[in-house]
Amino acid sequence: GAGGSDHWLLGGGAGPGRQERLVLANPGANPVTADVTVHGAAGPIADASVETVPPGARVSLLLDARAGEESVLAVHVRAGGGGIQATLTDTWIEGSTALGAETTAAAAEPSELQVVPGAVFGGGPTAVRVVAPGDQDAVVRVSVLGPEGLVPTTGDSVLSVAAGGVSQIEVQGVPAG
């Protein structure tokens, strides 16, 4: 695809043997400059870093050095001079044994209403991660809809997120499937 100019990627976290790699790809014929900002629970962790992605190339950044102690992350990528594609891969290892990996593409554009289609419950803990991208705190409510309508959950379903910050809420008590 042509790529985009504004991406939010929600993934990654702290822990031994955990590594987050951001890959920026430029499908265009001109160099693209990308501002990369890593957000944690309290907001941006540091000033944006500026990366130049050559035409038809990709740049890979390790984020654990910037946010190694943050348990929930969001990465904001803003591109200038053309479109860019962004993915975030979170890997877990113990010694030289791979324990798992997850690759995240850009989330939907920020909005007051988000729908996450196709969630499957019952294979382990399920959480919804959110970022409040503006300069105001956000109050988030998570609801689960099934084929018959609203599905009752146990535990918290409302979450407060600081302006520019990231948080997640565990979704509990949903029947498997």
Side-chain angles (χ1 to χ4, degrees):
S5 61
D6 195 8
H7 303 286
W8 283 94
L9 297 109
L10 307 172
R18 197 161 176 184
Q19 184 179 64
E20 296 84 20
R21 180 182 304 275
L22 176 66
V23 177
L24 305 173
N26 177 359
N30 297 315
V32 175
T33 302
D35 291 337
V36 177
T37 307
V38 179
H39 291 249
I45 294 173
D47 291 337
S49 67
V50 178
E51 303 294 332
T52 300
V53 186
R58 65 183 183 171
V59 171
S60 180
L61 308 168
L62 290 176
L63 301 181
D64 11 325
R66 298 180 194 184
E69 300 301 317
E70 286 289 332
S71 60
V72 291
L73 300 175
V75 181
H76 189 202
V77 178
R78 283 185 285 184
I84 201 164
Q85 298 164 339
T87 57
L88 178 64
T89 299
D90 186 11
T91 57
W92 299 266
I93 61 170
E94 185 173 318
S96 60
T97 304
L99 299 178
E102 178 180 65
T103 297
T104 304
E109 291 185 30
S111 173
E112 291 184 8
L113 176 66
Q114 295 285 353
V115 176
V116 180
V120 177
F121 293 87
T126 302
V128 175
R129 185 172 297 188
V130 295
V131 60
D135 57 1
Q136 294 182 349
D137 294 352
V139 176
V140 177
R141 185 180 69 172
V142 175
S143 301
V144 178
L145 299 173
E148 306 299 320
L150 189 63
V151 176
T153 61
T154 60
D156 295 332
S157 63
V158 177
L159 175 69
S160 294
V161 184
V166 185
S167 192
Q168 70 182 27
I169 188 166
E170 298 289 330
V171 181
Q172 301 172 346
V174 177

